[in-house]
Amino acid sequence: MKKVFIDGETGTTGLQVRDRLIKHPNIEIISIDPEKKRDVEEKRRLMKEADVTVLCLPDDAAKDSVALAKEEGCRILDASSVHRVAEGWVYGLPELDVTQREKIQQAQFVSNPGCYPTGAILLLKPLVEAGLLPASGDYSVNAVSGYSGGGNALIDRYESTHNAPAFAAYGLNFSHKHLPEMKMWAGLDKAPLFVPSVGHFRQGMLTFLPIQLKDGVTMAQLHTKLAEVYAKDTFVTVNNLNVVKDNSAPFLTPHGLENTNQIELSVLSAPDNQSGVLVAKLDNLGKGASGAAVQNLNIMLGFAEDIAVNL
């Protein structure tokens, strides 16, 4: 048995990590007394006892916990956004490339990816790397998430009051904290234009990348490359070209992958085969947060990746 301490287990991501790990046959959860959750010495004790500590904390609190972990030489999986482009941290997206799983397994510090960047990066990186899309391109990422992505405050607004919009765009100052992560790990020369939004549903996510191709590259080639790259990945499915794999087809909805660690990628081409849209569909709390965290924990601790990743 391995021991895992979830620092922040009462938050949205922490609760879902905990609910998954309760079912894990090889992991024991160690918890802090709620009255001592801000007690530095108690946190220090639990970190030293744990094989890995998972941080499900606001960004500033995560920095404090990482400082403590560094003093004690403890292993950390950080679900906050603080360390996703930080030096000395391994990016916790196992499907990033063929070397990433080994890096995660050996790392002391692993940063869990953001929900929006997970879809954008898995779509863009293989195509940029293959030269099918230019690293210097002007890209836009438009996405909608369930309201659970906003944490407890937004959940309360949607579930406890009637004062919640059916749809709302945000991050309109164009300095969203996910932008450096998208730029770095997708291999782009500059950050994309990013417009996130929230819908009146609890879980689920769609991420869209409109594409206009040049130099004889076709949407069919983009699809072929994505299908080739992710052919052996358990949690990534590349749908057939121009196929909307959805119970609500021909509509494409954010639903159907709730409480799983799966992500579906789609390439939808205009008739000219020179333009279209790339789409990623996932659960913002699954592959976008807690499912991904458990997948990373499994890799860090030497277990099969698929144990307890779904609710």
Tab-separated table of all heavy atoms in Angstrom, residues 78-86 91-93 96 111-121 176-188 191-192 194 288:
chain	number	residue	atom	x	y	z
A	78	ASP	N	0.703	18.738	-7.996
A	78	ASP	CA	0.024	20.009	-7.752
A	78	ASP	C	-1.067	20.233	-8.791
A	78	ASP	O	-0.794	20.357	-9.989
A	78	ASP	CB	1.038	21.147	-7.800
A	78	ASP	CG	0.420	22.494	-7.455
A	78	ASP	OD1	-0.742	22.512	-7.004
A	78	ASP	OD2	1.098	23.518	-7.637
A	79	ALA	N	-2.327	20.307	-8.325
A	79	ALA	CA	-3.452	20.546	-9.221
A	79	ALA	C	-3.766	22.026	-9.399
A	79	ALA	O	-4.685	22.375	-10.130
A	79	ALA	CB	-4.692	19.809	-8.719
A	80	SER	N	-3.020	22.909	-8.723
A	80	SER	CA	-3.206	24.342	-8.940
A	80	SER	C	-2.539	24.735	-10.259
A	80	SER	O	-1.895	23.918	-10.926
A	80	SER	CB	-2.609	25.145	-7.784
A	80	SER	OG	-1.207	25.297	-7.954
A	81	SER	N	-2.653	26.016	-10.629
A	81	SER	CA	-2.071	26.471	-11.896
A	81	SER	C	-0.673	27.053	-11.737
A	81	SER	O	-0.069	27.492	-12.720
A	81	SER	CB	-2.988	27.525	-12.530
A	81	SER	OG	-3.023	28.694	-11.734
A	82	VAL	N	-0.133	27.018	-10.524
A	82	VAL	CA	1.096	27.777	-10.231
A	82	VAL	C	2.327	27.229	-10.946
A	82	VAL	O	3.184	27.992	-11.395
A	82	VAL	CB	1.354	27.787	-8.706
A	82	VAL	CG1	2.660	28.500	-8.395
A	82	VAL	CG2	0.218	28.471	-7.990
A	83	HIS	N	2.442	25.909	-11.063
A	83	HIS	CA	3.712	25.320	-11.482
A	83	HIS	C	3.671	24.641	-12.848
A	83	HIS	O	4.543	23.843	-13.170
A	83	HIS	CB	4.165	24.308	-10.413
A	83	HIS	CG	4.373	24.919	-9.072
A	83	HIS	ND1	3.476	24.763	-8.036
A	83	HIS	CD2	5.362	25.730	-8.603
A	83	HIS	CE1	3.909	25.417	-6.974
A	83	HIS	NE2	5.040	26.029	-7.288
A	84	ARG	N	2.687	24.964	-13.664
A	84	ARG	CA	2.527	24.255	-14.937
A	84	ARG	C	3.562	24.638	-15.987
A	84	ARG	O	3.762	23.896	-16.947
A	84	ARG	CB	1.102	24.470	-15.463
A	84	ARG	CG	0.075	23.767	-14.590
A	84	ARG	CD	-1.338	24.117	-14.971
A	84	ARG	NE	-2.297	23.463	-14.077
A	84	ARG	CZ	-3.554	23.843	-13.913
A	84	ARG	NH1	-3.999	24.891	-14.576
A	84	ARG	NH2	-4.348	23.190	-13.085
A	85	VAL	N	4.202	25.776	-15.821
A	85	VAL	CA	5.296	26.145	-16.715
A	85	VAL	C	6.561	26.449	-15.904
A	85	VAL	O	7.489	27.087	-16.417
A	85	VAL	CB	4.917	27.346	-17.610
A	85	VAL	CG1	3.766	26.995	-18.526
A	85	VAL	CG2	4.582	28.582	-16.781
A	86	ALA	N	6.595	25.988	-14.669
A	86	ALA	CA	7.708	26.326	-13.767
A	86	ALA	C	8.904	25.403	-13.991
A	86	ALA	O	8.746	24.199	-14.226
A	86	ALA	CB	7.243	26.235	-12.316
A	91	TYR	N	5.404	18.327	-16.396
A	91	TYR	CA	4.013	18.560	-16.774
A	91	TYR	C	3.271	17.222	-16.816
A	91	TYR	O	3.654	16.302	-17.541
A	91	TYR	CB	3.965	19.249	-18.132
A	91	TYR	CG	2.606	19.802	-18.504
A	91	TYR	CD1	1.954	20.730	-17.694
A	91	TYR	CD2	1.989	19.416	-19.692
A	91	TYR	CE1	0.721	21.254	-18.053
A	91	TYR	CE2	0.762	19.942	-20.060
A	91	TYR	CZ	0.130	20.852	-19.232
A	91	TYR	OH	-1.091	21.366	-19.584
A	92	GLY	N	2.189	17.143	-16.052
A	92	GLY	CA	1.508	15.873	-15.856
A	92	GLY	C	0.478	15.533	-16.917
A	92	GLY	O	-0.678	15.227	-16.597
A	93	LEU	N	0.887	15.558	-18.162
A	93	LEU	CA	0.037	15.121	-19.268
A	93	LEU	C	0.729	13.931	-19.919
A	93	LEU	O	1.581	14.095	-20.802
A	93	LEU	CB	-0.173	16.268	-20.267
A	93	LEU	CG	-1.173	16.024	-21.405
A	93	LEU	CD1	-2.556	15.667	-20.862
A	93	LEU	CD2	-1.266	17.243	-22.316
A	96	LEU	N	1.463	13.628	-23.660
A	96	LEU	CA	2.162	14.736	-24.311
A	96	LEU	C	3.147	14.237	-25.357
A	96	LEU	O	3.223	14.771	-26.460
A	96	LEU	CB	2.886	15.587	-23.260
A	96	LEU	CG	3.524	16.876	-23.748
A	96	LEU	CD1	2.469	17.889	-24.175
A	96	LEU	CD2	4.414	17.481	-22.660
A	111	SER	N	3.095	18.776	-12.093
A	111	SER	CA	1.981	19.731	-12.161
A	111	SER	C	0.851	19.108	-12.977
A	111	SER	O	1.057	18.677	-14.113
A	111	SER	CB	2.431	21.047	-12.791
A	111	SER	OG	2.949	20.825	-14.092
A	112	ASN	N	-0.334	19.038	-12.378
A	112	ASN	CA	-1.502	18.508	-13.082
A	112	ASN	C	-1.993	19.557	-14.086
A	112	ASN	O	-2.084	20.734	-13.753
A	112	ASN	CB	-2.606	18.205	-12.059
A	112	ASN	CG	-3.477	17.048	-12.460
A	112	ASN	OD1	-2.975	15.965	-12.753
A	112	ASN	ND2	-4.783	17.245	-12.466
A	113	PRO	N	-2.322	19.154	-15.314
A	113	PRO	CA	-2.709	20.145	-16.334
A	113	PRO	C	-4.024	20.836	-16.034
A	113	PRO	O	-4.879	20.322	-15.302
A	113	PRO	CB	-2.839	19.302	-17.609
A	113	PRO	CG	-2.079	18.062	-17.341
A	113	PRO	CD	-2.221	17.805	-15.878
A	114	GLY	N	-4.216	21.988	-16.649
A	114	GLY	CA	-5.506	22.664	-16.601
A	114	GLY	C	-6.499	21.984	-17.524
A	114	GLY	O	-6.120	21.298	-18.485
A	115	CYS	N	-7.783	22.184	-17.267
A	115	CYS	CA	-8.817	21.509	-18.054
A	115	CYS	C	-8.853	22.024	-19.492
A	115	CYS	O	-8.835	21.230	-20.440
A	115	CYS	CB	-10.179	21.638	-17.383
A	115	CYS	SG	-10.646	23.326	-16.923
A	116	TYR	N	-8.905	23.342	-19.676
A	116	TYR	CA	-8.923	23.882	-21.036
A	116	TYR	C	-7.640	23.546	-21.810
A	116	TYR	O	-7.711	23.117	-22.964
A	116	TYR	CB	-9.108	25.403	-21.011
A	116	TYR	CG	-10.450	25.890	-20.550
A	116	TYR	CD1	-10.567	26.708	-19.431
A	116	TYR	CD2	-11.616	25.575	-21.240
A	116	TYR	CE1	-11.803	27.198	-19.013
A	116	TYR	CE2	-12.854	26.053	-20.827
A	116	TYR	CZ	-12.939	26.863	-19.708
A	116	TYR	OH	-14.153	27.334	-19.295
A	117	PRO	N	-6.456	23.733	-21.216
A	117	PRO	CA	-5.239	23.413	-21.955
A	117	PRO	C	-5.121	21.933	-22.349
A	117	PRO	O	-4.528	21.627	-23.383
A	117	PRO	CB	-4.119	23.808	-20.981
A	117	PRO	CG	-4.723	24.872	-20.140
A	117	PRO	CD	-6.143	24.445	-19.953
A	118	THR	N	-5.672	21.028	-21.547
A	118	THR	CA	-5.571	19.608	-21.891
A	118	THR	C	-6.078	19.355	-23.304
A	118	THR	O	-5.407	18.713	-24.121
A	118	THR	CB	-6.353	18.755	-20.880
A	118	THR	OG1	-5.703	18.829	-19.603
A	118	THR	CG2	-6.420	17.300	-21.309
A	119	GLY	N	-7.269	19.860	-23.611
A	119	GLY	CA	-7.818	19.656	-24.947
A	119	GLY	C	-7.032	20.390	-26.014
A	119	GLY	O	-6.708	19.820	-27.070
A	120	ALA	N	-6.703	21.650	-25.759
A	120	ALA	CA	-5.998	22.451	-26.762
A	120	ALA	C	-4.620	21.871	-27.075
A	120	ALA	O	-4.215	21.795	-28.243
A	120	ALA	CB	-5.876	23.893	-26.278
A	121	ILE	N	-3.906	21.456	-26.066
A	121	ILE	CA	-2.552	20.931	-26.262
A	121	ILE	C	-2.573	19.605	-27.006
A	121	ILE	O	-1.770	19.371	-27.928
A	121	ILE	CB	-1.835	20.796	-24.903
A	121	ILE	CG1	-1.552	22.173	-24.311
A	121	ILE	CG2	-0.537	20.003	-25.044
A	121	ILE	CD1	-1.211	22.157	-22.836
A	176	HIS	N	-5.757	35.262	-19.406
A	176	HIS	CA	-6.140	34.100	-18.606
A	176	HIS	C	-4.903	33.313	-18.175
A	176	HIS	O	-3.930	33.180	-18.928
A	176	HIS	CB	-7.078	33.209	-19.423
A	176	HIS	CG	-7.810	32.190	-18.602
A	176	HIS	ND1	-7.218	31.024	-18.165
A	176	HIS	CD2	-9.086	32.156	-18.141
A	176	HIS	CE1	-8.100	30.316	-17.475
A	176	HIS	NE2	-9.244	30.987	-17.442
A	177	LYS	N	-4.952	32.756	-16.979
A	177	LYS	CA	-3.785	32.059	-16.424
A	177	LYS	C	-3.406	30.803	-17.198
A	177	LYS	O	-2.290	30.292	-17.046
A	177	LYS	CB	-4.023	31.726	-14.950
A	177	LYS	CG	-5.160	30.748	-14.695
A	177	LYS	CD	-5.355	30.532	-13.203
A	177	LYS	CE	-6.478	29.552	-12.913
A	177	LYS	NZ	-6.652	29.354	-11.443
A	178	HIS	N	-4.307	30.286	-18.029
A	178	HIS	CA	-3.982	29.097	-18.822
A	178	HIS	C	-3.139	29.400	-20.062
A	178	HIS	O	-2.621	28.476	-20.696
A	178	HIS	CB	-5.261	28.400	-19.279
A	178	HIS	CG	-5.971	27.650	-18.205
A	178	HIS	ND1	-5.331	26.989	-17.195
A	178	HIS	CD2	-7.307	27.422	-18.012
A	178	HIS	CE1	-6.224	26.408	-16.408
A	178	HIS	NE2	-7.420	26.656	-16.876
A	179	LEU	N	-3.006	30.655	-20.441
A	179	LEU	CA	-2.343	30.984	-21.700
A	179	LEU	C	-0.869	30.560	-21.753
A	179	LEU	O	-0.432	29.983	-22.751
A	179	LEU	CB	-2.485	32.481	-21.990
A	179	LEU	CG	-3.889	32.909	-22.427
A	179	LEU	CD1	-3.995	34.424	-22.482
A	179	LEU	CD2	-4.245	32.304	-23.784
A	180	PRO	N	-0.063	30.812	-20.711
A	180	PRO	CA	1.334	30.359	-20.782
A	180	PRO	C	1.452	28.844	-20.937
A	180	PRO	O	2.337	28.361	-21.652
A	180	PRO	CB	1.918	30.832	-19.444
A	180	PRO	CG	1.060	31.979	-19.037
A	180	PRO	CD	-0.321	31.621	-19.496
A	181	GLU	N	0.555	28.129	-20.282
A	181	GLU	CA	0.543	26.663	-20.358
A	181	GLU	C	0.234	26.192	-21.783
A	181	GLU	O	0.896	25.297	-22.320
A	181	GLU	CB	-0.508	26.165	-19.375
A	181	GLU	CG	-0.664	24.684	-19.245
A	181	GLU	CD	-1.781	24.336	-18.258
A	181	GLU	OE1	-2.379	25.258	-17.648
A	181	GLU	OE2	-2.057	23.134	-18.113
A	182	MET	N	-0.762	26.785	-22.401
A	182	MET	CA	-1.106	26.411	-23.776
A	182	MET	C	0.059	26.695	-24.725
A	182	MET	O	0.410	25.870	-25.572
A	182	MET	CB	-2.344	27.181	-24.244
A	182	MET	CG	-3.642	26.771	-23.596
A	182	MET	SD	-5.015	27.670	-24.387
A	182	MET	CE	-6.332	27.350	-23.227
A	183	LYS	N	0.633	27.872	-24.604
A	183	LYS	CA	1.728	28.267	-25.490
A	183	LYS	C	2.914	27.318	-25.355
A	183	LYS	O	3.431	26.796	-26.358
A	183	LYS	CB	2.155	29.698	-25.173
A	183	LYS	CG	3.368	30.197	-25.950
A	183	LYS	CD	3.693	31.628	-25.581
A	183	LYS	CE	4.921	32.148	-26.322
A	183	LYS	NZ	6.181	31.550	-25.813
A	184	MET	N	3.349	27.078	-24.121
A	184	MET	CA	4.542	26.268	-23.923
A	184	MET	C	4.360	24.825	-24.390
A	184	MET	O	5.154	24.296	-25.172
A	184	MET	CB	4.952	26.268	-22.451
A	184	MET	CG	6.120	25.315	-22.162
A	184	MET	SD	6.656	25.320	-20.432
A	184	MET	CE	7.623	26.826	-20.409
A	185	TRP	N	3.301	24.178	-23.928
A	185	TRP	CA	3.191	22.743	-24.140
A	185	TRP	C	2.590	22.370	-25.479
A	185	TRP	O	2.731	21.221	-25.919
A	185	TRP	CB	2.438	22.102	-22.972
A	185	TRP	CG	3.162	22.308	-21.678
A	185	TRP	CD1	2.772	23.068	-20.622
A	185	TRP	CD2	4.436	21.776	-21.329
A	185	TRP	NE1	3.716	23.037	-19.631
A	185	TRP	CE2	4.753	22.250	-20.031
A	185	TRP	CE3	5.354	20.936	-21.968
A	185	TRP	CZ2	5.929	21.908	-19.374
A	185	TRP	CZ3	6.530	20.603	-21.323
A	185	TRP	CH2	6.807	21.095	-20.038
A	186	ALA	N	1.970	23.325	-26.166
A	186	ALA	CA	1.543	23.073	-27.544
A	186	ALA	C	2.657	23.383	-28.537
A	186	ALA	O	2.541	23.070	-29.723
A	186	ALA	CB	0.303	23.898	-27.884
A	187	GLY	N	3.729	24.002	-28.049
A	187	GLY	CA	4.858	24.320	-28.920
A	187	GLY	C	4.617	25.519	-29.812
A	187	GLY	O	5.124	25.581	-30.937
A	188	LEU	N	3.874	26.503	-29.304
A	188	LEU	CA	3.549	27.686	-30.093
A	188	LEU	C	4.542	28.819	-29.836
A	188	LEU	O	5.106	28.933	-28.746
A	188	LEU	CB	2.134	28.169	-29.752
A	188	LEU	CG	1.003	27.149	-29.928
A	188	LEU	CD1	-0.329	27.771	-29.510
A	188	LEU	CD2	0.935	26.636	-31.357
A	191	ALA	N	1.028	32.914	-27.574
A	191	ALA	CA	-0.189	32.367	-26.976
A	191	ALA	C	-1.370	32.557	-27.923
A	191	ALA	O	-1.442	33.541	-28.660
A	191	ALA	CB	-0.476	33.051	-25.646
A	192	PRO	N	-2.315	31.613	-27.905
A	192	PRO	CA	-3.518	31.783	-28.717
A	192	PRO	C	-4.452	32.827	-28.118
A	192	PRO	O	-4.307	33.213	-26.954
A	192	PRO	CB	-4.164	30.389	-28.672
A	192	PRO	CG	-3.709	29.816	-27.368
A	192	PRO	CD	-2.322	30.357	-27.142
A	194	PHE	N	-7.780	33.318	-26.476
A	194	PHE	CA	-8.541	32.334	-25.709
A	194	PHE	C	-9.808	32.961	-25.140
A	194	PHE	O	-9.739	33.978	-24.443
A	194	PHE	CB	-7.658	31.798	-24.578
A	194	PHE	CG	-8.334	30.813	-23.658
A	194	PHE	CD1	-9.144	29.807	-24.147
A	194	PHE	CD2	-8.135	30.895	-22.285
A	194	PHE	CE1	-9.764	28.891	-23.294
A	194	PHE	CE2	-8.738	29.995	-21.419
A	194	PHE	CZ	-9.560	28.991	-21.928
A	288	GLY	N	-9.969	16.595	-17.106
A	288	GLY	CA	-9.566	17.980	-16.899
A	288	GLY	C	-9.090	18.301	-15.500
A	288	GLY	O	-8.662	19.420	-15.238
